[in-house]
Amino acid sequence: MKYKIVNINDTGDRSVLIIYTGGTFGMIQDASGALAPFNFGKVVDRVPELRQLGIKLTVISFPKPIDSSNIGIQDWKDMAYIIEENYSQYDAFVILHGTDTMAYSASMLSYMLHGLNKPVIFTGAQMPIGSIRSDARENLITALEIAAAHHEGRPIVSEVCVYFNHLLLRGSRSQKLRSSTFAAFESENYPVLAEAGIEIEFNYSALKPHDPDAILEVKNKLDANVTILKIFPGITEHAVKGILSDPYIKGVVLESFGSGNTMKFDWFIECLSEAIESGKIILNVSQCIGGEVEQGRYETSKKLNDIGVLSGGDITTEAAITKMMFLLGSESKKDSIEEQLTYSLAGEMDLLPKE
Ligand code: ASP
């Protein structure tokens, strides 16, 4: 792929590579009035302060910036490839990305960038940079300041994060919860990593500790043969069977009620059980934004344990579905995939691997 590279500023003691993928951040209205992405060159004209931040800045732009609703597996591989190729030359990376699927991309990159010890900060905007009241300028400038923040030569952040509307969140815990206010993102099950007010206050105890000896290894084998089954009262056997009997599907994220409950009707349990017997992996996550799956707490989830549905604990749907694609692509043994789904790989859930 041919990337466009633009140097914005050559002076400063930290260097940040901005990876521009598209999103509302840099959109303008097309002839029909709909918002479509445009090139980054025009973005710099809108934020002249980028040259005064005291940070060495370079931008690599996707050849054709995209609305993040169109993001797919190849785009994640491209982002990871750009980071891998430029890892030794930059202190940090800021990825400009549409908000709609930012939490999926941040989750996926946190799995793919194994051994990461530099900041990778996703940000974007709810309103295009050309709008007078846009949130784009603040989000970009503060994301860059956080990316460049360091102490005794080490970065303060050394993980994949989302920065949005004054909050720095762990990428694999973030979710887009609102589409019409600037406060679009939250990480209900994990503390905020930093809050930007007059000062940027870092929450050191929640940040991943920096490992100076870590070596980046990009794991880019992904498998898209996964799906999400979101249950609801009244769902039919026909609908559930349609999803669970698809021969191409290898992994299913089951979005259940409350703390992991499902209907206990025989036909439903049989559908799940048959899918598991045919080799599919089913991971139970909650439809609730906060809290966790506790299989067996209620009668309505006890059966799930018996038939081999895995508990996703406090993982988000975004982190769960990307984790399935990642593990199905990178691991060949089913046992190992199942085991890794139930504990934390990149800080996406509370349960740590057994020592
Ligand atoms: N549809 C846009 C996108 O995700 C929305 C945004 O950027 O806020 O690319």
Side-chain angles (χ1 to χ4, degrees):
M1 208 195 302
K2 258 210 145 316
Y3 299 105
K4 289 185 198 129
I5 303 178
V6 184
N7 261 325
I8 298 182
N9 186 40
D10 288 335
T11 51
D13 61 350
R14 305 298 281 181
S15 56
V16 180
L17 180 65
I18 300 172
I19 302 168
Y20 178 57
T21 68
T24 297
F25 188 100
M27 287 187 184
I28 43 170
Q29 278 180 343
D30 66 15
S32 71
L35 286 170
F38 67 92
N39 291 337
F40 198 83
K42 291 189 190 161
V43 173
V44 186
D45 299 341
R46 299 269 176 188
V47 199
E49 302 91 321
L50 288 178
R51 298 203 170 86
Q52 296 150 22
L53 280 175
I55 304 171
K56 281 186 210 142
L57 285 181
T58 306
V59 180
I60 284 195
S61 195
F62 270 26
K64 227 179 157 301
I66 48 175
D67 186 305
S68 79
S69 307
N70 293 321
I71 287 275
I73 276 191
Q74 189 53 48
D75 301 300
W76 291 326
K77 291 185 185 184
D78 291 345
M79 289 177 219
Y81 172 79
I82 294 173
I83 291 173
E84 186 178 29
E85 287 291 294
N86 293 282
Y87 198 65
S88 57
Q89 294 158 54
Y90 292 90
D91 296 311
F93 302 85
V94 167
I95 303 184
L96 282 172
H97 192 290
T99 60
D100 286 345
T101 60
M102 192 185 291
Y104 292 88
S105 294
S107 298
M108 184 57 105
L109 268 278
S110 68
Y111 306 129
M112 293 174 80
L113 302 175
H114 186 79
L116 179 75
N117 67 1
K118 296 185 178 187
V120 173
I121 317 281
F122 278 82
T123 195
Q126 291 282 62
M127 287 177 83
I129 192 124
S131 319
I132 293 172
R133 290 178 45 253
S134 173
D135 50 339
R137 191 179 157 280
E138 193 286 318
N139 283 346
L140 174 58
I141 288 179
T142 310
L144 288 169
E145 285 189 339
I146 290 173
H150 60 286
H151 180 64
E152 294 176 353
R154 292 178 176 186
I156 293 179
V157 175
S158 40
E159 59 184 298
V160 179
C161 298
V162 165
Y163 176 76
F164 215 87
N165 191 47
H166 312 294
L167 301 180
L168 182 73
L169 309 171
R170 173 162 291 169
S172 59
R173 296 285 195 150
S174 64
Q175 286 184 293
K176 181 175 179 181
L177 298 185
R178 291 173 209 98
S179 60
S180 56
T181 71
F182 290 137
F185 287 86
E186 272 179 36
S187 64
E188 186 69 26
N189 278 339
Y190 198 75
V192 166
L193 301 180
E195 203 165 340
I198 293 175
E199 303 279 335
I200 298 172
E201 303 278 355
F202 288 97
N203 182 358
Y204 290 95
S205 63
L207 283 161
K208 183 186 126 189
H210 180 77
D211 176 0
D213 302 322
I215 294 172
L216 180 75
E217 183 198 345
V218 171
K219 298 190 171 194
N220 67 357
K221 292 209 178 79
L222 309 175
D223 188 335
N225 289 304
V226 296
T227 195
I228 300 173
L229 167 57
K230 179 169 185 163
I231 57 164
F232 53 89
I235 192 169
T236 62
E237 181 173 353
H238 185 75
V240 172
K241 261 208 176 120
I243 292 174
L244 293 179
S245 62
D246 182 327
Y248 293 103
I249 294 298
K250 299 179 193 158
V252 182
V253 171
L254 169 66
E255 264 204 18
S256 59
F257 306 127
S259 54
N261 304 311
T262 62
M263 44 288 232
K264 57 171 194 154
F265 309 137
D266 289 347
W267 65 261
F268 182 71
I269 299 298
E270 266 157 37
C271 278
L272 293 176
S273 181
E274 273 167 27
I276 292 168
E277 271 161 33
S278 75
K280 294 185 182 9
I281 297 172
I282 303 187
L283 183 68
N284 185 5
V285 309
S286 175
Q287 292 178 15
C288 295
I289 292 155
E292 64 186 311
V293 165
E294 288 175 79
Q295 274 183 190
R297 178 163 173 209
Y298 289 88
E299 189 200 6
T300 40
S301 65
K302 234 165 125 187
K303 270 261 175 246
L304 303 180
N305 276 338
D306 302 340
I307 61 172
V309 172
L310 305 171
S311 168
D314 61 352
I315 200 168
T316 63
T317 298
E318 292 86 336
I321 195 75
T322 48
K323 190 174 180 180
M324 273 216 171
M325 291 190 225
F326 174 76
L327 287 174
L328 285 166
S330 56
E331 296 282 332
S332 53
K333 292 207 180 86
K334 192 166 170 242
D335 287 359
S336 160
I337 298 173
E338 289 181 333
E339 199 196 336
Q340 293 186 63
L341 278 170
T342 56
Y343 65 71
S344 168
L345 284 183
E348 74 284 3
M349 55 200 284
D350 272 352
L351 269 182
L352 296 172
K354 290 183 204 96
E355 292 290 319

